[in-house]
């Protein structure tokens, strides 16, 4: 499964990435660790708290530690910290995803694009019962690797989001849902692709 990483800007000025969980929407499911995959980021924004590393440095200062003892205390305590564990797991996940995306031949990329579109359709049919889930899937699509045709994925998303697969008819979306999804697409410069998908009478892979 692809992985989700959080990114937080702490009041101390440090930006920390932490491992969060496996992705709810893996565009390349079911893949092995070495197979082409991605990580997606959830931006937590600004925190009023300092990071754990700075907390530990502050503790060392309060304890009156200096020189080598101070550095050793910070090293040992940070190694035991939750931040260190999740940050290391995030770094490993990012490195593995980046490695998996290197030297992939064009035929494999074409296959991955088709697979990703099939996954988008399946998720919309089976795991996107509400707006929040649709929005999360669309945000995941927006972070697909450069080798993947994001425009085609967004059109696929749009065309399936407005289609009732059980009744096999175009059903559209409420204006509220449509506005939320369009806002997400706009931030990624994908408004036209999403609107094109919304206008299709049939899902992309059914044409």
């Amino acid at each position: 499964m692809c992985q989700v990483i959080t990114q937080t800007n702490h009041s101390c000025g440090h930006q920390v990435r932490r491992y969060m969980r496996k992705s709810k929407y893996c565009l390349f499911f079911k893949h092995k660790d070495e197979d082409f995959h991605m990580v997606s980021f959830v931006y937590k924004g600004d925190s009023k708290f300092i990071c754990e590393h700075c907390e530990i440095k502050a503790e060392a200062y309060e304890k009156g530690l200096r020189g080598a003892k101070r550095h050793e205390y910070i090293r040992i305590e940070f190694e035991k910290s939750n931040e260190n564990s999740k940050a290391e797991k995030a770094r490993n996940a990012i490195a593995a995803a980046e490695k998996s995306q290197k030297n992939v031949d064009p035929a494999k990329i074409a296959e991955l694009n088709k697979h990703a579109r099939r996954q988008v359709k399946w998720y919309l049919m089976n795991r996107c019962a509400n707006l929040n889930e649709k929005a999360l899937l669309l945000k995941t699509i927006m972070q697909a690797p450069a080798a993947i045709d994001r425009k085609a994925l967004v059109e696929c998303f749009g065309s399936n989001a407005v289609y009732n697969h059980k009744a096999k008819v175009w059903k559209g979306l409420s204006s509220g849902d449509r506005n939320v999804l369009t806002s997400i697409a706009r931030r990624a410069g994908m408004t036209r692709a999403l609107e094109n998908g919304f206008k299709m009478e049939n899902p992309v892979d059914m044409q």
Side-chain angles (χ1 to χ4, degrees), residues 27-40:
L27 300 178
F28 311 104
F29 182 84
K30 183 177 185 180
H31 63 80
K32 298 177 182 177
D33 290 344
E34 65 272 18
D35 293 337
F36 189 100
H37 65 282
M38 61 181 277
V39 296
S40 55

Side-chain angles (χ1 to χ4, degrees), residues 82-101:
N82 182 56
E83 179 179 299
N84 180 54
S85 174
K86 290 188 174 182
E88 182 177 7
K89 197 169 182 180
R91 288 192 296 272
N92 291 339
I94 293 168
E98 290 177 345
K99 183 178 179 181
S100 77
Q101 295 167 24

Side-chain angles (χ1 to χ4, degrees), residues 81-128:
S81 71
N82 182 56
E83 179 179 299
N84 180 54
S85 174
K86 290 188 174 182
E88 182 177 7
K89 197 169 182 180
R91 288 192 296 272
N92 291 339
I94 293 168
E98 290 177 345
K99 183 178 179 181
S100 77
Q101 295 167 24
K102 293 179 178 179
N103 303 317
V104 183
D105 65 75
K108 182 62 176 178
I109 292 297
E111 179 186 323
L112 289 164
N113 272 289
K114 286 183 180 179
H115 182 80
R117 289 195 292 272
R118 287 194 296 267
Q119 285 299 115
V120 168
K121 174 188 173 182
W122 190 89
Y123 286 134
L124 283 166
M125 290 175 63
N126 298 281
R127 290 191 182 174
C128 289

